[in-house]
Amino acid sequence: QVQLVESGGGLVQAGGSLRLSCAASGRTFSRYAMGWFRQAPGKEREFVAAIDRSGGNPSYTDSVKGRFTISRDNAKNTVYLVMNSLKPEDTAVYTCAATGRVLVTASTSREYDYWGQGTQVTVSS
């Protein structure tokens, strides 16, 4: 089992920045590729970013490329999502997820085994 706890969400004006953190406990963190997903009200959950077990091969959905950066610190059992130039359409609950089933990264929900509770990000116009 892996337990995931997100933090860092909040209310920010358009153009602002936030850094989300996801702290993991339980089994060896470095065995898991990590991802961030988000879900806005009335919409399906969507992939945001992913990173492999060692911190390489970052991948992003097109709408956040150039604005968001995913990283991880295996010594601290934490994955981060730095979000710059935020837009109102980035408003959502952001959730981190872990998977031990993929060799690199994964971009679909069904590939992930463990999920956090989520943190709310609200971007005002």
Side-chain angles (χ1 to χ4, degrees), residues 33-37 47-52 55-66 68-71 80-81 102 104-108 111-112:
M34 300 296 295
W36 284 96
F37 289 77
F47 168 76
V48 177
I51 195 165
D52 71 16
N57 293 296
S59 61
Y60 304 91
T61 191
D62 286 346
S63 63
V64 308
K65 285 181 180 177
F68 290 13
T69 302
I70 188 171
S71 63
Y80 305 97
L81 184 68
V102 299
V104 185
T105 59
S107 61
T108 59
E111 297 177 277
Y112 287 86

Side-chain angles (χ1 to χ4, degrees), residues 9-114:
L11 173 64
V12 63
Q13 289 187 334
S17 299
L18 284 173
R19 186 180 80 159
L20 304 184
S21 299
C22 173
S25 61
R27 294 189 176 181
T28 306
F29 180 63
S30 60
R31 293 179 179 176
Y32 297 89
M34 300 296 295
W36 284 96
F37 289 77
R38 66 185 180 186
Q39 187 167 19
K43 296 187 177 181
E44 293 187 354
R45 177 187 287 168
E46 68 167 340
F47 168 76
V48 177
I51 195 165
D52 71 16
R53 303 176 187 190
S54 62
N57 293 296
S59 61
Y60 304 91
T61 191
D62 286 346
S63 63
V64 308
K65 285 181 180 177
R67 300 189 298 123
F68 290 13
T69 302
I70 188 171
S71 63
R72 67 189 293 165
D73 185 337
N74 285 347
K76 295 183 178 179
N77 289 357
T78 302
V79 62
Y80 305 97
L81 184 68
V82 174
M83 306 184 294
N84 296 320
S85 302
L86 282 161
K87 304 175 181 180
E89 51 263 44
D90 294 317
T91 295
V93 174
Y94 284 71
T95 305
C96 67
T99 176
R101 293 186 280 135
V102 299
L103 294 179
V104 185
T105 59
S107 61
T108 59
S109 299
R110 64 180 181 271
E111 297 177 277
Y112 287 86
D113 302 308
Y114 304 102

